[in-house]
């Protein structure tokens, strides 16, 4: 569907060059929901803007549906763009148009008839929860309302590719969920391919099947969401995964755990998705003469099984504890790390 | 009392002059609006980074605009005689003043249009581009509507400048309040006429300003 | 242009609004009795009436003096002539602070109109007063400031002011000499005979004429108009209405 | 510190009235970090903008440090505002100024001397991670970089109250964390009071001690973060809490759990923060003849003890299971809900 | 060849006229800039919803601006004679034209300033307010810098209109290319002079336009 080869973008400002996107090679399949994550300034927005050539690449090629976007003439590009929806980080609504007229705009561009236009616009307004605000001008909307207009506008022309630049960052979780559900719906029903920049791992986890992690303009890791998250290779990815797993906070409060729970061993268990380990704690407690307290952590159900991290406290005889640890490391796929030994 | 104060004034002449001023200003304004928008768009679109970026067209448009802005109005009127004769069929009276008024004011308004278009949010233009809009669509559905308050304010300014120009068009017998004030009033030291004409001109200016401000405010949804 | 299908009994005459158009308006009913319809077309500009006359837009004009007409013919090659001289608008030199020609101090500034056709006329006036001498080889009517060969009092001629503004300078610039066309002087409340330092007489060559195309010189209706304009009735009107600013003449070409 | 009485704001647009803030009465103590959450359009931005009178209230009173903000004259208000920092949802940076000059702006306003100004600006630039971008203009920054400039600007004049309108929504988790740490630091060292609108419960949990939930212009719930979250009363709050606890997703995948785990009882355990329950599972397994698998859930450590929800599967004799359940309900503070009985 | 073509032209006169045009335009432009910014700010700030919202001051400023924009330039020059005499000490020559040029152009530029200020992002003004900025600070550190590109473009437009006005100022002996073209060229049917003067005027216009565009581009960091 989309294939990208050696894409580069260099900005020159005040005589210094910034390589915003650096030699990115990727391919995205039809129907993928492709997440892009990375630190602020990593080049995510620039990357997405290159895809529909809002920025002209400094180098590299982009193919969408076997059409070489980077080689298109002005008019061909125009037509190709009608099939690519885009949600902007800063909304970019026309202040001179009402909510309704803003959403109708891409339909006017594509020459959709008035009756159908009205119908589609109305159903989109309902979908994004803006009924009653049809005749309102953007300046009278809240941030999230503006963003929803932007999303409705991007979907109006039933594009086959949707580019989202932090489309839900101004939205509360409830609205985010309903928007994401909407996207998944369209994705499944019409095979819409979505490329989505986000800072919220929750969004990635909820709807993406592919993910790319960017750092300093480079894609440092990409692939299946579960693969990437289960075995993060780079520091960036690890940091992001920690957010999802709630470890980021755990890390910060580590000291606190160490001090609060003075007896027994503090252990981190890392479940990597196997159903056989579901009753692990129960088994350990029965098999060995120890007690286990669950201090903190998060377990998530994935298709493959439980996945996540738990901090536990094991108390009991030193020997029993050692045996239990041995059991875990030798007989299960759970990764175990002793944070502090018995005092 | 009024009759006393303005003993020497012929009311029908003043009414006639007021009509002429209105006639010339309004027709010229329509022409200026159309031609000015065209010139302004051309300047904006062909400029560096514009949708039709084209150094040469930009240079030629700029030259055209600058040349006609620079020529003293009275010389412009005379230079345009052959053109006026061809277009209007006469080189005297209010109608003959129109081409000169329009060609004198349009380059000026064109620059104001260019300034207004430059203030349109780049992000919005980008959004339209990303939707695959034709340049025509971008012009008519994005650039012009988004710039409309500034375009109308600029038109108001131009309208008032045009009222000033009509005074000079008196040279070719186009009449109007300005030339009536100058020739029948000022040249003959009849300051009652100057005063009365000035008051009427100021009232007309206020009228235009009021209408312009009203429309601007209505249109501005920011 | 309306030249082609000429109606013998209808003539269009271009004129400056004051006083020419007013004089023509006075003549209009008299001509009407003779079966001639006079249409007056007013001009505020000094170039167009001759252009219009040459290309047949109008049948005659009445706004210029002879030297101006001659210069126009020279400059453009238009085939124009005049039927009769009607009146003179004498040029006068005024000053608030200087009371006689003898008292004019060294280096006095002379403020004069920026209308080029007036320049020769004003300089001629100064020459008549013995204040300057103009180059012998130059047609006096077309003399410019550059043609002065003798200037014993070192007068500074400043030929660059709008004619209508001149009375204002008379009021405000006491030490200067201001050359003012009589019509402006009168409108500004000056009395030419009393206030003027020196002024043109009726021997002046600057006679306002009824100008026509050469081919129309013998046109009946136009000659009739000239006759009416020179009639006692109209002349009396001029004297009375413009009390001294206009001197009627009866010159015939 | 801040007390708000009967605050109201009604917008009139197209002849329809919108009550954006509806009779809000609240008080916020010095040094509080006060979170405001709510759906898009709930009136959060309007509420915050009323606090420094960027919007004139339709009714009600606001006191900050015993100063009646709503009664201040223009000049007094101006001085009061110098002590209130504000981070805008849309950044509102001056495009004509560089990053450095933007941050220096409030200091210029407050008349801080050049040398000190430069020093403070530089240290803020370092703190928000924008070193090297000092001389860049906003148009050349990424979304997150702009937001960080906005944050630095709001902090520059060492205000005693900070109003944040989604100050971290354009930021990746890592940067968010560092900004939040910065805020907590300032809060602790200088007693800065922070009022913070956010959509991210993570942010609330990480730094807020007080929270208010808004809906349709009204504050429907407010108080201590733990109290509000442990016993959410309104639907809105429950929805938000679910996000924090990861339940939102759990809810969605509930069906899936029910089908996958066909034996035993499916049970939801809700821990409400008591250290005595830490070893609950371990105890149950030992005391009764059952096995427990942890399917999904999240446990968070709070000052008061473990807090969170776990979905577990209990297998074993019906009787034993019943006893275990009885034990939990009678002898512990853990809330228990049987989702599906034994098959 | 040049000497041949323009046999009748006195080079020193043209140089002198060019100097006068530059002199009048530049001095008047500085005055216009200052007065226009003041008027524009006053219009903007006292307008509905402005920082100094004040119906009456706004009305009075608008009246002042409109009256002076409406009066035909030549009449304006004469009306200002007493004022000019007091201020400049003469009512003739280039210096005497300055007050009329400035008072004629400033209201016009004032309107352009108002339009430019209206285009400044409301959010940025709000941010400054939230920081507790004095109105003075908002004016000098927010409104003017943020509107600067449009202010400069507007000044360029005004500068070129001023060049046109200087031609009319010829009426009081201020010289300059425009009146030289009309009186020495056009009146004497010496079209070489008209042409040469026009070319020089156009070049000056281009110069101003070029400088204006350059500054605008440099300042515009959006
Ligand atoms: N200037 C205005 N005129 C009219 N209505 C307005 C105006 N500003 C906001 N509103 C309305 O007031 C309500 C509350 O808006 P507000 O911006 O406070 O919401 P919010 O809670 O900040 O939402 P979000 O999370 O989407 O930013 C919305 O329904 C909005 O449409
Ligand atoms: N027009 C521009 N001129 C110069 N540099 C630019 C320009 N646009 C972006 N950059 C720089 O390119 C880099 C990447 O910017 P980009 O907007 O792609 O980041 P991002 O990943 O979207 O960040 P964020 O999450 O903060 O939005 C940044 O360092 C930014 O400063
Ligand atoms: Mg971005
Ligand atoms: Mg908001």
């Amino acid at each position: 569907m989309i294939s990208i080869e050696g894409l580069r973008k260099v900005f020159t400002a005040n005589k210094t060059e910034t390589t915003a996107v650096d030699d990115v090679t990727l391919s995205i399949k039809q129907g993928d929901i492709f997440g892009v994550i990375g630190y602020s300034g990593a080049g995510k927005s620039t990357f997405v803007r290159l895809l529909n050539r809002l920025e002209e690449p400094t180098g590299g090629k982009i193919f969408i549906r076997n059409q070489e976007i980077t080689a298109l003439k002005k008019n061909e590009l125009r037509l190709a763009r009608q099939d690519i929806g885009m949600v902007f980080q800063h909304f970019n609504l026309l202040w001179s148009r009402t909510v309704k007229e803003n959403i109708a705009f891409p339909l006017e561009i594509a020459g959709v008839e008035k009756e159908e236009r009205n119908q589609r616009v109305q159903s989109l307004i309902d979908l994004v929860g803006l009924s009653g605000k049809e005749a309102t001008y953007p300046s009278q909307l809240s941030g999230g309302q503006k963003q929803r207009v932007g999303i409705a506008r991007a979907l109006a022309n039933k594009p086959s590719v949707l580019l989202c630049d932090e489309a839900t960052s101004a939205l509360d979780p409830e609205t985010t969920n309903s928007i994401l559900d909407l996207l998944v719906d369209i994705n499944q029903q019409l095979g819409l391919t979505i490329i989505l920049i986000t800072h919220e791992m929750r969004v990635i986890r909820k709807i993406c099947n592919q993910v790319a992690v960017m750092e300093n303009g480079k894609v440092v890791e990409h692939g299946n969401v579960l693969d990437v998250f289960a075995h993060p290779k780079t520091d960036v990815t690890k940091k992001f995964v920690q957010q999802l797993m709630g470890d980021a906070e755990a890390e910060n409060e580590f000291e606190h755990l160490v001090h609060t729970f003075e007896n027994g061993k503090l252990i981190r268990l890392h479940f990597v998705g196997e159903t056989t380990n579901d009753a692990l704690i129960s088994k350990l407690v029965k098999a060995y003469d120890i007690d286990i307290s669950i201090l903190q952590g998060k377990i998530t159900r994935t298709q493959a099984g439980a996945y996540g991290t738990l901090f536990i406290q094991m108390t009991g005889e030193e020997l029993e504890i050692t045996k239990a640890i041995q059991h875990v490391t030798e007989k299960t796929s759970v990764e175990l790390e002793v944070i502090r030994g018995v005092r | 009392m009024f009759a006393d104060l303005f003993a020497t004034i012929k009311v029908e002449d003043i009414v006639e002059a007021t009509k002429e001023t209105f006639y010339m200003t309004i027709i010229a304004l329509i022409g200026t609006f159309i031609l000015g928008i065209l010139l302004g768009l051309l300047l904006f679109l062909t400029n560096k980074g514009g949708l039709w970026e084209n150094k040469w067209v930009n240079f030629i448009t700029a030259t055209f605009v600058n040349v006609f802005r620079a020529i003293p109005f009275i010389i412009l009127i005379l230079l345009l005689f052959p053109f006026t004769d061809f277009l209007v069929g006469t080189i005297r009276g209010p109608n003959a003043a129109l081409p000169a008024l329009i060609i004198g004011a349009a380059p000026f308004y064109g620059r104001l249009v260019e300034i207004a278009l430059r203030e349109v949010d780049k992000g919005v233009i980008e959004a339209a581009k990303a939707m695959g809009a034709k340049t025509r669509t971008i012009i008519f559905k994005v650039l012009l509507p988004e710039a409309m308050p500034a375009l109308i304010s600029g038109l108001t300014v131009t309208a008032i400048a045009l009222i000033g120009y009509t005074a000079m068009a008196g040279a070719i017998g186009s009449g109007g309040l300005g030339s009536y004030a100058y020739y029948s009033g000022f040249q003959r030291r009849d300051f009652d006429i100057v005063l009365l004409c000035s008051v009427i001109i100021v009232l007309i200016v206020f009228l235009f300003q009021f209408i312009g401000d009203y429309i601007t405010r209505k249109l501005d949804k920011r | 242009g309306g030249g082609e299908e000429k109606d013998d009994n209808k003539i269009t005459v271009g004129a400056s609004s004051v006083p020419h158009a007013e004089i023509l308006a006075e003549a209009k009913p008299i001509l009407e009795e003779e079966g001639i319809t006079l249409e007056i077309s007013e001009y505020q500009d000094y170039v167009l009436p001759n252009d219009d006359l040459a290309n047949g837009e109008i049948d005659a004009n009445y706004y210029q003096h002879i030297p101006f007409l001659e210069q126009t013919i020279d400059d453009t090659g238009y085939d124009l002539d005049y039927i009769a001289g009607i009146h003179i608008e004498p040029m006068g030199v005024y000053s608030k602070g200087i009371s006689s020609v003898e008292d004019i101090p060294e280096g006095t500034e002379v403020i004069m109109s920026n209308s080029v056709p007036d320049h020769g006329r004003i300089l001629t006036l100064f020459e008549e007063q013995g204040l300057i001498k103009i180059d012998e080889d130059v047609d006096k009517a077309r003399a410019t400031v550059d043609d002065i060969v003798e200037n014993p009092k070192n007068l500074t001629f400043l030929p660059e002011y709008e004619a209508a503004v001149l009375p204002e300078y008379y009021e405000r610039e006491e030490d200067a000499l201001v050359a003012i066309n009589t019509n402006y002087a009168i409108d500004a409340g000056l009395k030419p005979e009393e206030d003027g330092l020196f002024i043109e007489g009726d021997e002046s060559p600057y006679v306002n004429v009824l100008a026509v195309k050469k081919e129309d010189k013998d046109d009946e209706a136009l000659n009739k108009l000239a006759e009416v304009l020179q009639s006692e009735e109209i002349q009396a009107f001029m004297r009375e209405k413009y009390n001294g600013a206009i001197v009627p003449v009866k010159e015939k070409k």
Side-chain angles (χ1 to χ4, degrees), chain A residues 133 136 139-148 170-172:
Chain A
K133 295 271 182 196
T136 310
S139 63
Q140 295 162 348
L141 294 178
S142 77
Q145 288 164 343
K146 280 183 207 151
Q147 189 145 51
R148 283 180 275 164
L171 297 178
D172 60 275

Side-chain angles (χ1 to χ4, degrees), chain B residues 81 92 170 182-183 188-189, chain C residues 41 48 52 162 164 168 187:
Chain B
F81 266 176
R92 283 186 286 120
Y182 185 64
Y183 293 111
R188 307 172 70 182
R189 308 274 140 179
Chain C
S41 177
L48 299 178
D52 282 6
E162 171 86 14
E168 206 69 35
D187 281 339

Side-chain angles (χ1 to χ4, degrees), chain C residues 106-131:
Chain C
E106 272 275 313
T108 300
E109 290 183 315
V110 181
I111 298 175
M112 48 198 267
S113 145
N114 56 21
S115 179
V116 175
D118 285 346
H119 294 174
R121 188 176 181 186
I122 295 163
L123 294 175
T124 310
L125 250 179
F126 274 84
E127 192 177 39
E128 279 167 9
Q129 297 295 325
L131 290 166

Side-chain angles (χ1 to χ4, degrees), chain B residues 47-92:
Chain B
N47 204 349
K48 222 166 162 180
L51 290 168
W52 287 341
E53 179 164 348
N54 186 323
K55 227 171 164 173
W56 283 106
V57 176
N58 190 265
F59 180 75
I60 291 166
T61 315
T63 307
F64 176 82
V65 165
N66 284 341
V67 166
F68 281 103
R69 276 201 294 165
I71 297 181
F73 189 65
I74 180 72
I75 296 184
L76 183 65
I77 290 184
L78 295 159
L79 286 180
L80 285 177
F81 266 176
F83 174 71
T84 305
D85 200 5
F86 169 76
L87 207 74
V88 195
T90 173
I91 52 169
R92 283 186 286 120

Side-chain angles (χ1 to χ4, degrees), chain C residues 3-188:
Chain C
E4 290 82 35
E5 0 126 25
K6 191 146 109 194
D7 175 353
D8 272 350
N9 293 323
K10 186 176 168 225
I11 51 178
T12 308
V13 180
S16 297
S17 48
V18 192
H20 309 83
E22 291 175 349
I23 295 169
L24 286 173
E26 194 67 22
K28 192 174 169 147
I30 305 173
L31 281 168
E32 204 78 56
E33 282 167 23
E34 311 273 344
I36 295 168
T37 313
L38 173 62
E39 196 151 297
I40 305 160
S41 177
E42 288 189 30
Y43 286 86
Q44 314 285 7
D45 170 89
Y46 293 133
V47 175
L48 299 178
N50 279 337
D51 289 350
D52 282 6
L53 179 60
N55 62 34
E57 191 90 22
I58 52 178
D59 301 316
N61 68 45
Y62 170 40
Y63 79 105
Q64 64 194 323
H65 49 62
I66 298 166
F68 185 86
L69 176 64
E70 284 171 350
Q71 175 151 15
T72 304
I73 293 168
D74 263 19
D75 286 343
T76 61
Y78 287 158
D79 224 2
L80 304 182
D81 203 345
Y82 66 92
I83 296 178
I86 314 294
H87 74 264
I88 297 170
E89 295 170 23
M91 177 70 72
V93 175
Y94 301 76
S95 175
K96 259 217 156 122
I98 301 168
S99 49
S100 74
V101 176
E102 294 76 52
D103 293 345
I104 297 174
E106 272 275 313
T108 300
E109 290 183 315
V110 181
I111 298 175
M112 48 198 267
S113 145
N114 56 21
S115 179
V116 175
D118 285 346
H119 294 174
R121 188 176 181 186
I122 295 163
L123 294 175
T124 310
L125 250 179
F126 274 84
E127 192 177 39
E128 279 167 9
Q129 297 295 325
L131 290 166
I132 57 165
K133 218 169 182 64
I134 300 172
D135 192 339
E136 302 274 337
D137 302 338
V138 176
D139 177 0
K140 287 205 173 10
R142 298 189 192 185
T144 66
V145 177
D146 300 331
D147 299 322
I148 300 170
V149 288
E150 274 176 42
N151 186 356
K153 289 204 170 186
N154 273 321
L155 303 179
T156 313
F157 290 90
L158 302 168
E160 48 192 7
Y161 297 88
E162 171 86 14
V165 185
L166 294 170
E168 206 69 35
Y169 284 123
Y170 165 73
E171 289 292 335
R172 296 180 159 273
E173 304 260 327
E174 306 210 333
D175 303 333
L177 295 171
V178 187
I180 310 178
N181 301 65
T182 304
N183 59 325
Y184 290 133
I186 289 182
D187 281 339

Side-chain angles (χ1 to χ4, degrees), chain A residues 263-267 269 284 290-293 295 312-316 320-322 324-325 328 336 342:
Chain A
N263 350 324
K265 272 202 159 98
L266 272 191
I267 289 171
L269 297 178
L284 289 180
I290 51 171
D291 270 327
I292 293 181
S293 295
L295 300 181
I312 59 170
Q313 180 190 28
M314 266 190 205
T315 44
E320 289 295 301
I321 291 177
T322 315
I325 290 174
V328 174
L336 178 147
V342 177

